[in-house]
């Protein structure tokens, strides 16, 4: 299930430059293009370890921003800001 969420997120970012970070993934999205998947994985690897961990927890493990905030000992608001910053970095790397 979390793999599907991640794949949907990849497809959404790849298709829509105005992708909203807080938009829930559509479960009926088609499988992502292998090239796009490789590009996103490459972009994720350019992030610092803590940001890679954040992405893993949110998109692979399916944890909520509140759960991640507790894990990192930060506020929910700060977790949302970090998530947005990471998404902007990934979009820039993928552009």
């Amino acid at each position: 299930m979390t793999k599907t969420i991640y794949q949907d997120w990849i497809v959404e970012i790849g298709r829509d430059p105005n992708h909203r970070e807080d938009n829930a993934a559509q479960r009926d999205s088609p499988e992502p293009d292998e090239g796009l998947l490789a590009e996103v994985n490459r972009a994720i690897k350019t992030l610092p370890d803590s940001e890679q961990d954040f992405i893993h927890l949110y998109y692979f493990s399916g944890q909520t921003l509140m759960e991640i905030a507790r894990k990192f000992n930060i506020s929910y608001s700060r977790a949302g800001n970090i998530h947005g910053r990471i998404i902007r970095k990934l979009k820039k790397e993928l552009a």
Side-chain angles (χ1 to χ4, degrees), residues 5 7 10-12 27 30-31 40 44 46 50 57 60 62 65 75 77 83 88 91:
I5 292 170
Q7 290 172 340
I10 293 168
V11 170
E12 187 66 28
R27 300 239 189 295
E31 290 294 313
V40 171
I44 289 171
T46 67
S50 62
L57 291 170
F60 289 96
L65 287 179
S75 70
S77 176
H83 178 257
R88 285 188 297 279
K91 284 182 180 181

Side-chain angles (χ1 to χ4, degrees), residues 7-17 19 23 26 29:
Q7 290 172 340
D8 293 342
W9 173 75
I10 293 168
V11 170
E12 187 66 28
I13 286 179
R15 288 185 182 159
D16 182 10
H19 174 75
N23 188 18
Q26 299 291 325
S29 294

Side-chain angles (χ1 to χ4, degrees), residues 12-89:
E12 187 66 28
I13 286 179
R15 288 185 182 159
D16 182 10
N18 298 315
H19 174 75
R20 289 183 44 151
E21 291 84 9
D22 61 347
N23 188 18
Q26 299 291 325
R27 300 239 189 295
D28 59 349
S29 294
E31 290 294 313
D33 174 89
E34 287 296 320
L36 178 59
L37 182 59
E39 267 304 293
V40 171
N41 284 326
R42 182 198 56 75
I44 289 171
K45 289 178 183 177
T46 67
L47 298 171
D49 289 343
S50 62
E51 292 179 357
Q52 289 183 41
D53 291 344
F54 195 104
I55 290 294
H56 177 78
L57 291 170
Y58 192 74
Y59 291 101
F60 289 96
S61 299
Q63 292 188 21
T64 66
L65 287 179
M66 184 58 76
E67 291 167 328
I68 295 169
R70 286 187 194 121
K71 180 175 178 66
F72 283 93
N73 197 27
I74 57 176
S75 70
Y76 173 79
S77 176
R78 181 72 181 127
N81 291 339
I82 290 170
H83 178 257
R85 185 183 73 225
I86 293 169
I87 295 301
R88 285 188 297 279
K89 281 183 176 182

